Amino acid sequence: MDLLLLLTSALLCSCGPVNTESVFQIASVTLSIEPRAAVRRNTNVTLRCQASVISLAQLNREYTLYKDNSVIYNKNTSSKEDFLYHLPEARVSNNGRYKCMVRIMGQEMTSKSEKLTVTGMSPPILHADKSRTTEGEGVTVRCLAPGETGSFFFYFYDNSSEIHDEHRNTNQAEIKLPLSDVGAHMIHCIYKVFIMSESVTSDESNTVIVTVEELSIKPFLEISPVNNIYEGDNLTIKCSILGFNQSHKGMNLLLNQGTNLLSVGNATAAIEYNMMVEATAPTLSFDCRLTVKNLIKVDTKTISVTELFSVPQLIMSPPEVFQMKPMTLICKSQHVALERVNKEDLTYSLDPAEHFLTPNGAGIFSGRALKNEFNYTCIAEAKGIRKRSGTLTITPKVPVSVPSIRVADWPILGESFRIFCQSSKGSGPITYSFWKGKTQMGTPIIKSFGQPAYISVVINDVKEINLFTCKANNGGEEEQQSAALDTAVIEPITNPILTVIPDPVEGNDLYLICSVQGTPPVTFRWFRHDKETPLKVTTSLSNNSNYQITGLSKEYSGMYYCEADNRANFKVQSDLVDVEVRMALWKKALIGGVLLLVASLLIMVSCVLYYKHRRGKRETAAELSVKPASPKSDESLTVNLTHDTEVYNAATDAVSFYDDKEGRVTNGTRGSVASLPADISNRSSYSIPATV
Ligand SMILES: *[C@@H]1O[C@H](CO)[C@@H](O)[C@H](O)[C@H]1NC(C)=O
Ligand SMILES: *[C@@H]1O[C@H](CO)[C@@H](O)[C@H](O)[C@H]1NC(C)=O
Ligand SMILES: *[C@@H]1O[C@H](CO)[C@@H](O)[C@H](O)[C@H]1NC(C)=O
């Protein structure tokens, strides 16, 4: 039915004549395992690949067989028969997934994969080349996996512990086992076959017993004397071979003390070694080593050694010393074996020899300390044995110098600041204490050399600053005291006052003087109440400063104030001062004059008219006069000082004027000059006596 469809469609689709030979289709491909997928070892297994192909003609087929995705076989055939692949006497190494692919003229189809599982492995067989051997000789063993194939790992066991493993691609492994322990060794092996990432393990092999016999010869170590050994004693040490016979070749003897080789010998020449004992440790260990082929046999003996005297210790008394001050060095061995050495026989010396110190009894050396660091050692000696102490480094202390007292920044009245104290010389640790008058402040502070000590204080009166002192001490005889603290103290700015002089009159100049209390330099700022930016900023070394306005006009009227601060960084502001610019005097006078003139004219005109009117009736006449008023001689005239404005008293000819450059008021008659007190600027008015 399929074929019919295929042919029909082929005929319909092509317009030319059809080559029916090239029309085919692989209908199915299956792989089967015979007799079954899970078999015992030794079963003859066949893999059958069956391809069902729809075609008219006999087509060439290519079979490819895969095991675990790797090609293991490839064949071309024109036969329609199933393709068979034999695995005779299957082994576990045949385990895996198989599949088969068929390709015909570029068309291909692959079967589903089938898993073959073979169980059972042949037990390994172990063989040893001998069953008796001697120490150091070893034995050759072979492990065989009969009839097995694949990739192997062989494992060898001695008395149940694994001692060796070996990888092979053949089914046997031969190795040499160096059995070292005397006695019976039960040896067996197993193997593993590797299939992909897995492995299958065999049963245990037969067990072979190999007996290792002790070598008849051995080394022998003899030391004399054995007991009561003191350093300086002589020892005789013998290292020889026991049970030696001529059949043993290539032997070697070594005598060692720890890892120190003392002497060598051989089969015919035993070792005899003499030495004087040094008490480098309480016990000394020696060994006599015999080497035969691969075997090393050792005889070890340990002796105890008593010191004649212990390593001396060098100490200084007292433990600290100042430059050039007296000191004593003491050299002493703590333990002395009085049963062997007399106290008098034990001598002590310094190295370098004495060095400005004089011996002063056994192991005692006195003198003065040097200025610089110095290293001493001492040597104890008796019966030809010398022992040197460790190095004693003496660093004489430097006395502390007079400390200096200072502040880090400007102290500000009422605010906390730090006072530092430091000695420029003197070995640390240095103990510093701070004093205010006769009172100690806080607890003493301990610092190393080069580090200043400090405390934080607050003062409320400038005079307090000079009460502070500090003291330094580094354990020497005297304590050193600093001078009194001497530094400026900054008083914060207070009490700002804005003074305006002279009277603000149009056209004149005006001074706005800002004065304060506090420590200069002071930064002053002047403001007009309705403006944010200062009119002027200046820093002054005195406690007042001024801002000058030249050529006053009505627009300068307004509220003014000033601000001030100094290093205490606390800004203060004055009260507001109202400045109202008044009209100039000459303007007032001019207006007054004009009015007077107009009034006079009016009177004159009316008088003339009246006179003409009355002419005919009466012939009488009258005089009209105007008289200026004059002040009395002792009257005092008070004049508000106005900037750069002359104050002129017409009756007396007296004049007052303010000179803006000099900052003074000048007083006198026209053309004369008089000097005035400097504090005139603080005043707002001035009085001039009117004289005739
Ligand atoms: C397996 O095949 C071999 C020949 O290839 C034959 O000698 C042997 O007897 C067969 N074994 C079994 C169990 O049929
Ligand atoms: C003292 O010995 C020490 C080492 O123990 C060494 O560093 C130092 O320089 C020596 N001092 C002098 C003055 O020789
Ligand atoms: C301004 O300073 C002087 C000293 O420079 C001082 O005598 C005077 O009292 C100070 N005035 C004010 C207002 O602090």
Side-chain angles (χ1 to χ4, degrees):
M1 192 61 192
D2 281 351
L3 184 63
L4 202 62
L5 267 175
L6 191 73
L7 287 175
T8 325
S9 64
L11 285 169
L12 284 173
C13 289
S14 62
C15 302
V18 177
N19 179 1
T20 51
E21 281 208 355
S22 66
V23 179
F24 73 95
Q25 195 180 54
I26 305 171
S28 67
V29 176
T30 49
L31 180 85
S32 52
I33 300 174
E34 294 173 355
R36 60 201 162 267
V39 297
R40 286 286 306 165
R41 172 174 193 274
N42 268 338
T43 311
N44 289 336
V45 174
T46 301
L47 303 176
R48 177 182 295 275
C49 182
Q50 191 170 34
S52 154
V53 179
I54 302 163
S55 74
L56 287 174
Q58 189 92 330
L59 295 170
N60 202 41
R61 305 172 175 198
E62 184 190 349
Y63 289 94
T64 307
L65 191 66
Y66 295 85
K67 181 192 181 196
D68 299 319
N69 292 325
S70 309
V71 175
I72 55 165
Y73 192 76
N74 190 284
K75 184 186 177 179
N76 276 303
T77 177
S78 57
S79 160
K80 280 180 137 177
E81 300 279 299
D82 292 349
F83 163 64
L84 302 180
Y85 185 80
H86 297 286
L87 298 169
E89 296 179 337
R91 296 282 181 261
V92 289
S93 62
N94 296 127
N95 283 0
R97 285 197 157 274
Y98 293 88
K99 67 184 178 190
C100 151
M101 185 185 85
V102 175
R103 182 187 284 127
I104 302 170
M105 293 172 74
Q107 213 182 92
E108 59 183 43
M109 183 176 273
T110 305
S111 72
K112 280 201 272 181
S113 68
E114 297 294 336
K115 186 173 180 183
L116 171 63
T117 309
V118 181
T119 50
M121 284 203 285
S122 63
I125 297 168
L126 182 74
H127 178 261
D129 68 341
K130 50 190 170 227
S131 61
R132 301 192 82 79
T133 176
T134 51
E135 288 179 88
E137 235 177 309
V139 64
T140 302
V141 291
R142 194 171 78 236
C143 188
L144 175 70
E148 294 301 328
T149 58
S151 176
F152 296 87
F153 254 97
F154 292 94
Y155 299 87
F156 295 88
Y157 293 81
D158 177 6
N159 296 339
S160 315
S161 28
E162 192 190 307
I163 51 168
H164 190 87
D165 63 75
E166 192 86 12
H167 175 250
R168 288 289 154 89
N169 283 317
T170 60
N171 67 341
Q172 57 176 292
E174 189 176 276
I175 58 155
K176 179 142 188 162
L177 293 180
L179 301 176
S180 52
D181 295 351
V182 173
H185 292 259
M186 320 271 280
I187 298 167
H188 74 264
C189 70
I190 61 162
Y191 65 88
K192 285 183 181 178
V193 177
F194 283 83
I195 307 142
M196 297 295 286
S197 57
E198 292 166 21
S199 69
V200 186
T201 307
S202 75
D203 292 338
E204 282 182 15
S205 73
N206 56 310
T207 299
V208 171
I209 299 175
V210 177
T211 308
V212 178
E213 291 167 346
E214 193 177 1
L215 207 61
S216 59
I217 58 169
K218 55 185 179 189
F220 178 62
L221 180 68
E222 211 180 351
I223 301 176
S224 75
V226 180
N227 296 315
N228 267 335
I229 303 168
Y230 285 82
E231 60 179 328
D233 288 357
N234 283 316
L235 280 188
T236 303
I237 305 164
K238 284 184 187 157
C239 172
S240 56
I241 303 171
L242 284 187
F244 170 68
N245 71 41
Q246 292 303 325
S247 68
H248 297 111
K249 297 256 156 52
M251 290 185 301
N252 224 319
L253 273 180
L254 299 179
L255 174 66
N256 309 309
Q257 184 191 344
T259 54
N260 238 358
L261 177 65
L262 299 179
S263 185
V264 293
N266 58 37
T268 51
I271 299 171
E272 185 169 327
Y273 186 79
N274 292 305
M275 62 181 283
M276 193 184 86
V277 182
E278 283 176 41
T280 48
T283 59
L284 299 179
S285 180
F286 297 90
D287 63 51
C288 175
R289 288 172 171 256
L290 170 65
T291 313
V292 194
K293 295 181 198 160
N294 297 323
L295 179 71
I296 297 169
K297 302 189 98 183
V298 184
D299 190 11
T300 301
K301 288 206 165 67
T302 300
I303 56 165
S304 300
V305 180
T306 310
E307 280 186 316
L308 278 183
F309 54 92
S310 59
V311 173
Q313 282 183 323
L314 182 62
I315 55 165
M316 178 169 61
S317 169
E320 282 192 336
V321 64
F322 277 84
Q323 291 175 328
M324 309 311 286
K325 295 287 182 211
M327 68 168 190
T328 301
L329 296 186
I330 300 165
C331 182
K332 191 167 162 51
S333 288
Q334 293 299 316
H335 306 287
V336 181
L338 291 171
E339 62 274 25
R340 285 291 192 100
V341 60
N342 293 326
K343 269 217 146 115
E344 302 78 59
D345 294 341
L346 185 60
T347 61
Y348 297 102
S349 57
L350 277 186
D351 184 23
E354 272 75 64
H355 208 86
F356 302 120
L357 300 176
T358 41
N360 191 1
I364 299 174
F365 306 88
S366 305
R368 281 182 181 275
L370 302 177
K371 277 207 150 169
N372 302 319
E373 176 187 287
F374 201 82
N375 285 339
Y376 294 90
T377 58
C378 77
I379 292 161
E381 193 167 1
K383 289 196 162 181
I385 294 171
R386 284 163 65 93
K387 291 189 182 178
R388 180 184 285 269
S389 72
T391 302
L392 174 68
T393 302
I394 296 176
T395 313
K397 290 180 77 173
V398 179
V400 79
S401 64
V402 172
S404 59
I405 189 165
R406 63 187 170 86
V407 289
D409 211 340
W410 295 104
I412 295 167
L413 216 57
E415 282 183 30
S416 167
F417 62 96
R418 296 205 284 189
I419 303 179
F420 292 83
C421 185
Q422 187 174 11
S423 284
S424 58
K425 276 189 207 153
S427 313
I430 302 175
T431 305
Y432 293 98
S433 55
F434 288 90
W435 298 76
K436 184 174 181 183
K438 293 205 156 79
T439 317
Q440 184 170 353
M441 308 188 67
T443 51
I445 299 162
I446 297 169
K447 290 283 174 183
S448 51
F449 173 71
Q451 279 188 309
Y454 67 83
I455 51 161
S456 296
V457 296
V458 178
I459 55 170
N460 293 311
D461 184 344
V462 178
K463 289 190 199 97
E464 283 179 60
I465 197 80
N466 302 115
L467 293 177
F468 293 104
T469 57
C470 70
K471 292 179 182 174
N473 183 351
N474 68 341
E477 283 154 13
E478 58 214 65
E479 185 168 61
Q480 300 283 5
Q481 179 163 16
S482 75
L485 179 60
D486 183 17
T487 183
V489 180
I490 300 187
E491 278 182 86
I493 298 293
T494 52
N495 210 12
I497 297 169
L498 183 67
T499 312
V500 177
I501 53 167
D503 242 10
V505 175
E506 255 185 328
N508 290 358
D509 289 355
L510 190 67
Y511 289 84
L512 289 94
I513 300 168
C514 194
S515 62
V516 296
Q517 261 169 6
T519 308
V522 182
T523 300
F524 294 94
R525 287 182 194 78
W526 288 261
F527 292 89
R528 220 179 116 143
H529 179 54
D530 50 1
K531 293 203 177 113
E532 251 172 46
T533 50
L535 302 165
K536 179 181 175 186
V537 179
T538 184
T539 300
S540 168
L541 285 173
S542 80
N543 54 12
N544 66 72
S545 184
N546 63 64
Y547 167 58
Q548 180 190 2
I549 301 171
T550 49
L552 274 178
S553 63
K554 279 274 179 205
E555 294 86 73
Y556 285 102
S557 295
M559 307 289 271
Y560 290 82
Y561 66 94
C562 71
E563 274 181 5
D565 61 29
N566 67 355
R567 283 168 292 183
N569 243 334
F570 180 72
K571 198 186 283 178
V572 292
Q573 188 177 325
S574 74
D575 288 339
L576 289 170
V577 173
D578 192 358
V579 173
E580 198 188 330
V581 181
R582 285 186 285 112
M583 196 181 283
L585 259 185
W586 65 265
K587 277 193 190 172
K588 290 184 188 169
L590 190 67
I591 294 168
V594 168
L595 286 178
L596 208 63
L597 198 66
V598 170
S600 315
L601 280 176
L602 280 176
I603 291 169
M604 249 157 77
V605 168
S606 4
C607 285
V608 169
L609 290 177
Y610 180 72
Y611 175 74
K612 282 188 175 172
H613 173 70
R614 296 281 303 253
R615 204 172 184 169
K617 299 177 187 174
R618 274 192 274 165
E619 285 290 322
T620 55
E623 266 183 52
L624 188 74
S625 67
V626 179
K627 211 177 176 181
S630 77
K632 285 170 189 161
S633 62
D634 58 344
E635 218 177 64
S636 180
L637 182 65
T638 300
V639 182
N640 278 341
L641 282 178
T642 51
H643 169 67
D644 216 18
T645 303
E646 288 181 2
V647 181
Y648 178 47
N649 184 327
T652 63
D653 213 25
V655 171
S656 294
F657 60 92
Y658 188 88
D659 186 325
D660 58 0
K661 291 234 168 63
E662 296 296 319
R664 296 190 306 193
V665 172
T666 309
N667 179 23
T669 54
R670 269 183 183 270
S672 76
V673 173
S675 60
L676 283 165
D679 63 351
I680 188 71
S681 59
N682 290 339
R683 304 195 186 177
S684 59
S685 66
Y686 191 66
S687 113
I688 304 163
T691 49
V692 183

